């Protein structure tokens, strides 16, 4: 019996899972009958095989793993790190000591983070487990990016900074290649972090106003090209374009922008903040890279993978450029965002992630048709923005024509009724960001024809979210209309007067991420 068991275990290749190895199983037979031990070891082997496939292929498994497999895996990774060595004596300045057990458990005892002083992607000799985690995560994330539609992407890494800072890191890397270039050509999108990503890096954004086509705001390609000729290609650090955005702006014309960048030999960085969840955004990036030039595209972890805020993915088509960016990161970094996304992808599997993407798309259609009905019931309309796959907008024409503050009142009412993410955009907001003044801020253009309200169908949204949102929106609009019947817009429901809504900026508070 023993020899049989041993030979059986010899067939299993050396594996990360080690706590209950062949030797220990055999020893267990002294306490529990060999047949039971054998069954136990076979049970374990099923977990090991999943891990073997993961290590061999570096791809997201099709079927999600049980939490038991994931936890086993994480514990095994952790004991490969020196802070968990039983005989370790640390006399360095960073020994992965953690005072709180709660903190240690929160991180699965992976304390060393990722990277070395010079490169966020480098292997950390003190932490084989954390280093393996980092490499595996980057490999799985690349697999998902390809699966989501950018098939020829060939390099990426998770960086523990949100999207804005990650864009800055890309720009700073380009500065070393184009030291004299200070301008960044930026088709306008009214979102502060992507604007500040350029300011923080010390660059000068050149804002290209969008053009109105029907209801949609689209990239002004002629203006982009004219600006390049005007400033001189050598003085331009890059073109900084955007996919995912609030309607009625739509994703930039990436293909044409990429062609312009190729023509003038100008780098091209794409802000794909929440675009991984949309096959359309991903397709645009793929087409841009096929037809022209895209150097890197950056996406948020929390917005695309349902994890806490804290990380982004920098991806591209030229491995050596993406590596240059990772080398630009000074020092070590938190492993938390990588760990969160790794756990999430192993939990979901590709099937689970694709199911979420499919459900999101279905909810987008549902939200779109329901918002259209509601808009029409109030003599408004759903703006026609077919190129925006995630965000929708409905006009608030009547409301804004009757009373200047009614639109912001609506925003406040939705906020106090716990509708989050809906965003009202009044006309004529002027906002100064880092010394630059934007007219019509939030609307992506100086003068959009009407005020409107945004809602988005983002990954994880449920039918209940949509139904409850529309019900509450209906109530708010009804209340405001009642106010109108009295000759003025006013807040009818008492609960809303808890705040001095006319003056406070609650409405605005929910317009930014
Ligand atoms: C979320 C987002 C960003 C980046 O914001 P971070 O907080 O830095 O992740 C940039 N642009 C757009 C369009 C966004 O939606």
């Amino acid at each position: 019996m023993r020899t049989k068991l041993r030979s059986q275990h010899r067939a299993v290749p050396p594996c990360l899972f080690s706590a209950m190895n062949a030797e220990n199983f055999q020893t267990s037979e002294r306490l529990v009958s060999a047949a039971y031990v054998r069954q136990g070891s076979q049970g374990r082997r099923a977990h090991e095989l999943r891990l073997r496939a993961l290590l061999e292929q570096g791809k997201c498994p099709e079927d999600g793993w049980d939490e038991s497999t994931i936890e086993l895996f994480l514990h095994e990774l952790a004991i490969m790190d020196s802070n968990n060595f039983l005989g370790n004596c640390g006399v360095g300045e960073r020994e992965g000591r953690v005072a709180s057990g709660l903190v240690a458990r929160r991180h699965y005892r992976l304390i060393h983070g990722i990277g070395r002083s010079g490169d966020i992607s480098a292997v950390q000799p003190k932490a084989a487990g954390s280093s393996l985690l980092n490499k595996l995560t980057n490999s799985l994330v690349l697999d998902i990016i390809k699966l989501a539609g950018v098939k020829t992407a060939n390099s990426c890494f998770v960086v523990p900074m949100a999207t804005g800072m990650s864009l800055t890191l890309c720009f700073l890397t380009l500065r070393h290649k184009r030291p004299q270039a200070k301008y960044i050509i930026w088709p306008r999108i009214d979102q502060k972090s992507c604007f500040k990503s350029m300011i923080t890096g010390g660059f000068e954004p050149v804002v290209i106003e969008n053009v109105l086509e029907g209801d949609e705001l689209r990239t002004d390609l002629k203006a982009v090209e004219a600006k390049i000729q005007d400033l001189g290609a050598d003085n331009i650090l890059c073109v900084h374009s955007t996919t995912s955005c609030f309607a009625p702006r739509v994703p930039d014309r990436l293909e044409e922008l990429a062609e312009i960048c190729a023509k003038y030999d100008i780098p091209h960085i794409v802000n794909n903040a929440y675009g991984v969840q949309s096959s359309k955004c991903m397709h645009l990036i793929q087409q841009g890279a096929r037809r022209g030039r895209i150097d890197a595209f950056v996406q948020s972890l929390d917005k695309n993978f349902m994890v806490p805020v804290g990380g982004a993915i920098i991806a591209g088509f030229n491995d050596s450029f993406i590596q240059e960016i990772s080398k630009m990161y000074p020092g070590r970094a938190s492993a938390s965002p990588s760990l969160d996304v790794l756990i999430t992808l192993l939990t979901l599997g590709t099937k689970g992630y694709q199911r979420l993407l499919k459900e999101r798309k279905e909810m987008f259609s549902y939200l779109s048709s329901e918002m259209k009905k509601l808009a029409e019931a109030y003599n408004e309309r759903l703006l026609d923005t077919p190129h925006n796959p995630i965000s929708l907008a409905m006009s608030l024409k009547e409301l804004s024509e009757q009373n200047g503050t009614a639109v912001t009142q609506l925003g406040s009412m939705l906020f106090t009724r716990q509708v989050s993410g809906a965003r009202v955009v009044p006309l004529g907001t002027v906002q100064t960001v880092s010394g630059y003044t934007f007219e019509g801020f939030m609307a992506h253009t100086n003068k959009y024809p009407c005020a409107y309200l945004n809602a988005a169908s983002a990954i994880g949204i449920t039918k209940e979210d949509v139904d409850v949102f529309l019900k509450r929106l209906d109530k708010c609009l009804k209340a405001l209309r009642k106010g109108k019947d009295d000759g003025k817009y006013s807040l009818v429901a008492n609960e809303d007067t808890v705040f001095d809504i006319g003056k406070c900026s609650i409405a605005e508070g929910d317009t930014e991420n």
Side-chain angles (χ1 to χ4, degrees):
M1 192 51 109
R2 276 194 180 187
T3 34
K4 210 172 160 195
L5 199 95
R6 193 179 291 155
S7 67
Q8 212 175 357
H9 271 278
R10 236 180 251 134
V12 179
C15 179
L16 264 182
F17 289 162
S18 52
M20 279 306 286
N21 53 22
E23 217 178 312
N24 283 350
F25 271 120
Q26 219 172 71
T27 312
S28 308
E29 290 174 20
R30 284 202 236 149
L31 302 166
V32 176
S33 100
Y36 296 159
V37 170
R38 187 166 62 240
Q39 200 173 26
S41 80
Q42 278 163 356
R44 182 187 175 90
R45 189 158 189 271
H47 295 284
E48 289 175 352
L49 287 174
R50 285 173 164 179
L51 179 59
R52 174 145 58 111
L54 178 73
L55 291 170
E56 276 173 2
Q57 297 158 15
K59 287 185 169 173
C60 185
E62 263 184 44
D63 294 301
W65 288 6
D66 301 327
E67 287 185 9
S68 59
T69 310
I70 296 172
E71 288 197 306
L72 187 58
F73 172 39
L74 295 176
H75 288 312
E76 297 280 352
L77 282 180
I79 57 173
M80 292 169 73
D81 283 5
S82 59
N83 59 296
N84 297 310
F85 292 174
L86 295 178
N88 199 57
C89 79
V91 292
E93 81 290 10
R94 46 174 199 94
E95 294 298 338
R97 295 184 184 111
V98 170
S100 160
L102 209 57
V103 171
R105 286 199 296 283
R106 180 168 114 76
H107 295 272
Y108 281 95
R109 297 186 181 79
L110 292 157
I111 310 297
H112 271 291
I114 55 173
R116 297 188 79 177
S117 45
D119 181 350
I120 196 176
S121 296
V123 168
Q124 171 60 251
K126 273 189 172 150
S130 294
S131 301
L132 183 55
L133 173 141
N134 188 29
K135 298 268 176 194
L136 264 178
T137 304
N138 290 343
S139 177
L140 258 66
V141 163
L142 182 63
D143 185 40
I144 289 291
I145 281 178
K146 290 179 180 173
L147 197 84
V150 186
K151 294 190 182 66
T152 65
N154 70 357
S155 185
C156 79
F157 66 99
V158 169
V159 58
M161 306 185 292
T163 322
M165 275 302 289
S166 302
L167 285 164
T168 303
L169 193 66
C170 295
F171 301 143
L172 292 176
T173 308
L174 288 175
R175 171 181 279 154
H176 286 253
K177 294 174 168 303
R178 302 167 78 80
Q180 82 292 9
K182 65 170 180 181
Y183 299 112
I184 297 180
I185 303 274
W186 183 64
R188 176 170 168 183
I189 164 160
D190 292 356
Q191 203 277 350
K192 284 183 194 164
S193 18
C194 48
F195 186 71
K196 290 187 76 176
S197 72
M198 301 179 281
I199 301 290
T200 302
F203 301 101
E204 199 168 304
V206 177
V207 181
I208 306 292
E209 290 293 333
N210 297 301
V211 286
L212 187 64
E213 290 179 22
D215 287 336
E216 291 185 333
L217 288 163
R218 307 202 68 183
T219 321
D220 189 343
L221 294 167
K222 282 210 183 85
V224 168
E225 199 159 1
K227 212 48 169 174
I228 290 173
Q229 287 168 355
D230 181 29
L231 295 169
D234 290 347
N235 297 316
I236 296 167
L237 184 86
C238 65
V239 170
H240 173 195
S241 65
T242 307
T243 57
S244 52
C245 59
F246 291 117
R249 194 194 192 278
V250 300
D252 276 318
R253 295 180 185 273
L254 276 210
E255 217 173 297
E256 295 89 334
L257 283 176
E259 280 172 356
I260 292 173
C261 287
K263 180 175 163 193
Y264 291 93
D265 201 20
I266 295 173
H268 185 189
I269 306 291
V270 181
N271 172 9
N272 189 41
Y274 46 103
V276 181
Q277 62 190 290
S278 150
S279 56
K280 272 191 192 168
C281 291
M282 295 304 264
H283 181 72
L284 280 175
I285 293 171
Q286 179 60 75
Q287 282 305 102
R290 275 213 178 104
R291 301 282 304 270
R293 175 168 181 175
I294 291 178
D295 295 69
F297 56 104
V298 180
Q299 34 271 307
S300 160
L301 281 187
D302 65 282
K303 290 180 190 169
N304 291 293
F305 295 100
M306 301 172 78
V307 293
V309 173
I313 304 162
I314 300 178
F317 306 89
N318 176 342
D319 184 44
S320 77
F321 178 60
I322 299 303
Q323 276 183 33
E324 265 180 70
I325 303 173
S326 87
K327 287 193 175 75
M328 190 63 52
Y329 188 103
R332 303 161 300 144
S334 167
S336 282
S338 296
L339 182 57
D340 288 342
V341 77
L342 179 66
I343 293 173
T344 301
L345 291 178
L346 291 177
T347 303
L348 291 172
T350 56
K351 284 185 187 163
Y353 191 64
Q354 283 174 316
R355 192 191 64 239
L356 284 169
L357 299 189
K358 185 168 159 273
E359 285 167 4
R360 187 207 71 79
K361 217 179 232 176
E362 288 164 3
M363 277 308 114
F364 179 78
S365 307
Y366 180 61
L367 176 67
S368 166
S369 63
E370 295 301 301
M371 241 170 106
K372 189 169 194 290
K373 279 186 222 159
L374 186 75
E376 283 162 8
Y378 284 90
N379 210 9
E380 299 288 353
R381 63 194 189 85
L382 185 73
L383 300 180
D384 186 27
T385 54
H387 291 96
N388 194 318
I390 299 170
S391 168
L392 293 160
M394 84 175 237
S395 69
L396 297 175
K397 214 158 184 273
E398 259 198 2
L399 208 59
S400 64
E401 278 167 7
Q402 299 298 321
N403 178 327
T405 61
V407 170
T408 41
Q409 276 182 10
L410 175 63
S412 306
M413 288 169 82
L414 288 168
F415 185 83
T416 54
R417 288 188 160 86
Q418 299 186 8
V419 173
S420 62
R423 168 186 188 261
V424 294
V425 180
L427 291 175
T429 310
V430 177
Q431 173 113 30
T432 303
V433 187
S434 309
Y436 288 73
T437 299
F438 291 89
E439 264 181 66
F441 191 74
M442 288 163 67
H444 317 289
T445 186
N446 293 336
K447 277 195 180 62
Y448 195 73
C450 63
Y452 57 85
L453 172 136
N454 281 130
S457 170
I459 189 166
I461 191 173
T462 62
K463 184 168 179 292
E464 200 191 356
D465 288 324
V466 176
D467 288 337
V468 173
F469 160 61
L470 289 158
K471 211 159 133 193
R472 292 184 188 167
L473 176 60
D474 188 21
K475 270 192 184 162
C476 293
L477 289 169
K478 210 169 268 161
L480 285 168
R481 193 175 248 187
K482 242 188 243 167
K484 186 182 113 184
D485 289 341
D486 296 336
K488 63 179 176 46
Y489 278 105
S490 63
L491 294 169
V492 173
N494 285 332
E495 66 202 81
D496 293 311
T497 53
V498 172
F499 299 99
D500 183 4
I501 280 157
K503 291 190 195 99
C504 81
S505 60
I506 294 174
E508 216 182 304
D510 198 40
T511 59
E512 290 169 21
N513 27 53

